[in-house]
């Protein structure tokens, strides 16, 4: 029996899920505040105890890697790698936005494509186009886009955008893992525009 622990920490409404062979066994929400590590460990202990599972029994860890809250993504990826290291279990990653797209397409079977977007810095949003995929539930079409916040809902004519405020869930991260799709890069997807930081101290003039 393949046992997977899925983590989704790309937003403040984080979540965990236990799955076997792609079937969701249990889920729980996690309030991802500034004490993300403590809340993650406590929530995992409670989730595993409720299912009668043990962390050492996990065959894989599936983690949503963003885009989203960089601190939450870093905590979930680092923690999953720490859990996996002693037993050599794989840590598999997927875009959190892909999990939300898959959930949205599953809810409305009339949709062939959907745009997922999120807040970025300095009046911008990131956005990505996703389509149904027969083998892997959903596939990203093209690259991520950084757009002015006012452009929400205006790109990709005829394709609906996922409603603002919806968040991805760990259960769908786990379901995407079960399709056998390749893992994404094991690092947070970071799409915020760069911010120029002035030097802390003025540069002295050159000496003659």
């Amino acid at each position: 029996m393949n046992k997977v622990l899925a983590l989704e920490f790309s937003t403040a409404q984080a979540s965990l899920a236990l799955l076997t062979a792609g079937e969701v066994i249990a889920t729980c929400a996690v309030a991802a505040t500034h004490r993300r590590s403590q809340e993650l460990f406590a929530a995992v202990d409670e989730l595993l105890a409720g299912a009668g599972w043990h962390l050492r029994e996990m065959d894989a860890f599936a983690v949503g890697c963003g885009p989203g809250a960089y601190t939450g993504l870093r905590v979930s990826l680092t923690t999953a790698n720490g859990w996996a290291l002693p037993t050599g279990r794989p840590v598999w990653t997927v875009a959190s936005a892909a999990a939300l797209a898959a959930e949205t397409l599953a809810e409305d079977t009339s949709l062939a494509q959907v745009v997922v977007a999120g807040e970025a810095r300095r009046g911008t949003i990131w956005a990505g186009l996703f389509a149904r995929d027969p083998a892997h539930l959903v596939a990203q079409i093209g690259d991520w886009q950084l757009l002015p916040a006012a452009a929400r809902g205006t790109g990709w004519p005829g394709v609906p955008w996922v409603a603002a405020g919806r968040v991805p869930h760990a259960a769908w991260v786990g379901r995407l893992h079960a399709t056998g799709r390749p893992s994404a890069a094991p690092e947070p997807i970071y799409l915020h525009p760069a911010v120029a930081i002035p030097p802390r101290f003025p540069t002295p003039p050159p000496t003659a």
Side-chain angles (χ1 to χ4, degrees):
M1 181 171 61
N2 183 264
K3 293 182 176 181
V4 176
L5 171 58
L7 304 88
E8 171 42 50
F9 272 64
S10 67
T11 73
Q13 301 175 56
S15 59
L16 302 166
L18 298 176
L19 301 94
T20 179
E23 178 184 353
V24 178
I25 302 301
T27 65
C28 73
V30 184
T33 64
H34 63 285
R35 298 189 304 169
R36 289 175 177 84
S37 297
Q38 297 177 37
E39 288 151 350
L40 171 54
F41 288 125
V44 165
D45 288 344
E46 184 176 350
L47 185 67
L48 290 169
W53 289 13
H54 299 281
L55 196 60
R56 64 178 178 273
E57 298 173 342
M58 296 302 104
D59 295 297
F61 299 89
V63 187
C65 59
Y70 186 81
T71 300
L73 296 171
R74 184 183 61 198
V75 166
S76 58
L77 282 164
T78 301
T79 303
N81 277 286
W83 286 333
L85 186 61
T87 56
R89 300 306 189 202
V91 175
W92 177 93
T93 61
V94 69
S96 305
L100 180 52
E103 181 177 6
T104 302
L105 292 171
E107 291 173 349
D108 188 343
T109 57
S110 69
L111 297 178
Q113 296 182 329
V114 69
V115 177
V116 180
E119 299 299 325
R121 274 197 306 233
R122 306 172 71 186
T124 62
I125 60 172
W126 56 262
L129 175 64
F130 293 85
R132 293 187 184 279
D133 183 281
H136 303 308
L137 298 182
V138 68
Q140 186 169 359
I141 308 299
D143 296 327
W144 301 103
Q145 301 290 323
L146 271 177
L147 305 168
R152 180 184 288 273
T154 61
W156 295 283
V159 180
W161 288 49
V162 173
R166 286 200 62 173
V167 300
H169 296 112
W172 281 92
V173 171
R175 287 184 174 116
L176 291 181
H177 170 268
T179 68
R181 64 193 294 144
S183 177
E187 59 190 22
I189 299 172
Y190 192 69
L191 298 176
H192 296 287
V195 174
I197 302 176
R200 186 174 178 182
F201 302 104
T203 303
T207 56

